[in-house]
Amino acid sequence: MAGAGRAIACVAALVAAALVLFLAFRGHGGTHPPAAAGREPAGLGGTSPAPAAPSGTAASAEHADPLSGAAAAYAASRSGSVLAAVYDVSTGQSWRLGDGPAQPAASVVKLDILETLLAQQGGTTLSAGDQSLSESMIEDSDNDAATNLWHEAGGAAGIGAYNDSAGLSGTTPSACVTCAGFAWPGWGLTTTVPQDQLALLKQLIAPGPRPLLSDAQRSYVLSLMEKVAPGQRWGVSGGVPAGVTVALKNGWLPLNDANTNWQINSVGWVSGDGRDYLVAVFTTGNPTEQYGIDTINALSSRIWTAMRFRPGAATCADERPVMLSADRNRGII
């Protein structure tokens, strides 16, 4: 009887929601309300309020913080320092974990290099040579390709100018490419914070009313990030099942000659199975490369789980969520 009561209550809720949607859509002449031309990116400090729901749809409830609870407890249990930030594309909410100083970007800076170079093209495509270098830089994380494109983009000055336009406030491009006492390309010593990496990812996914890249350019970057080499598909893809879109760029860098202090980073976009979010995780002080990879994999898996239900879902006890909004047709079925 208890199960029947829950089922009846759930059906009643769905009928009521359907009636609201029907009446609302009638008020719009039987069509969906027009999409907004764009919105300003939400702030990154703490949780941002959800934007007002379009007329004629059920209001989206704010999502619970995916970086609290299990995620925060796990991060606290790991050696070194863990910083993370998440942005929910559907609600405009953002969260962050950790308040430490900026960390070396390692190869994650390659996304910044490519966005800078594309923005300098004024909406046009890259040359065939630069496209080849870009593919090697993002898909294979090739360092020589990155060095060539770093210089072509104007080095630290060019990267910094683009970052200012994109709203990055905690990122400092490296002043050297060949740095004294450092065996690796110096652009990897660019320091940054996760929330700045979200700002770069937003230029690809949710750029707002004043995008710095064209639609074609954004699609191009994402296509490369979705095709990184199989051995580099760890990180923010942790716990994400097959069939879900993941576009990512990772970075890994030994910070001392003994290889006992590793910088391991991962940034990207995850979309599918009722989720749509941007995420950036930075870790330093890892005793081995694999330790840092394991940390990000496990933390990302907890984030994926915490982002389980999209806002706007009506749930009944012991029942699967049923989406009340037709938003982008990506609800759980």
Side-chain angles (χ1 to χ4, degrees):
M1 293 297 292
R6 284 196 301 269
I8 292 170
C10 194
V11 170
L14 290 175
V15 171
L19 180 59
V20 170
L21 286 173
F22 173 73
L23 292 175
F25 288 153
R26 282 190 61 191
H28 286 282
T31 62
H32 293 283
R39 66 171 185 265
E40 292 286 356
L44 298 176
T47 300
S48 303
S55 175
T57 65
S60 293
E62 289 192 351
H63 204 295
D65 184 353
L67 293 175
S68 63
Y74 175 76
S77 74
R78 302 296 283 175
S79 297
S81 175
V82 179
L83 302 178
V86 174
Y87 174 78
D88 189 323
V89 177
S90 299
T91 68
Q93 291 174 271
S94 57
W95 308 268
R96 66 185 184 187
L97 173 69
D99 292 313
Q103 297 183 11
S107 284
V108 164
V109 76
K110 292 169 182 174
L111 173 59
D112 203 353
I113 295 172
L114 182 53
E115 286 195 26
T116 298
L117 190 62
L118 287 169
Q120 293 171 348
Q121 306 305 304
T124 62
T125 58
L126 297 174
S127 68
D130 283 349
Q131 288 185 44
S132 178
L133 289 173
S134 297
E135 291 170 8
S136 295
M137 178 176 71
I138 300 298
E139 295 180 6
D140 300 319
S141 204
D142 185 88
N143 288 340
D144 291 338
T147 297
N148 286 333
L149 294 178
W150 170 275
H151 288 307
E152 186 170 340
I159 302 292
Y162 175 76
N163 290 350
D164 288 344
S165 298
L168 279 64
S169 59
T171 298
T172 303
S174 175
C176 58
V177 174
T178 302
C179 305
F182 188 66
W184 302 95
W187 39 253
L189 295 178
T190 294
T191 56
T192 189
V193 291
Q195 50 267 40
D196 274 9
Q197 295 304 305
L198 292 190
L200 289 176
L201 291 167
K202 284 182 182 180
Q203 285 300 321
L204 305 177
I205 301 298
R210 294 184 293 275
L212 300 178
L213 305 175
S214 69
D215 289 347
Q217 289 174 330
R218 292 196 294 273
S219 295
Y220 173 67
V221 178
L222 289 170
S223 73
L224 301 184
M225 295 173 67
E226 291 175 28
K227 295 185 295 185
V228 300
Q232 300 177 24
R233 293 200 60 79
W234 48 266
V236 299
S237 59
V240 179
V244 172
T245 297
V246 178
L248 60 77
K249 184 68 194 84
N250 295 331
W252 55 99
L253 180 68
L255 298 177
N256 63 10
D257 293 336
N259 288 345
T260 57
N261 180 13
W262 282 82
Q263 182 72 43
I264 308 294
N265 311 323
S266 184
V267 305
W269 172 49
V270 178
S271 181
D273 198 10
R275 298 141 167 104
D276 194 0
Y277 61 91
L278 311 177
V279 56
V281 184
F282 278 63
T283 68
T284 196
N286 296 288
T288 67
E289 178 183 6
Q290 190 60 50
Y291 184 92
I293 291 174
D294 291 344
T295 294
I296 299 182
N297 281 342
L299 181 61
S300 297
S301 180
R302 286 162 171 79
I303 293 170
W304 167 260
T305 299
M307 297 295 288
R308 180 181 296 116
F309 301 137
R310 286 190 58 197
T315 60
C316 296
D318 303 322
E319 301 290 341
R320 296 188 67 181
V322 181
M323 300 307 297
L324 299 185
S325 170
D327 178 42
R328 285 186 286 183
N329 298 316
R330 288 199 292 224
I332 299 173
I333 298 174

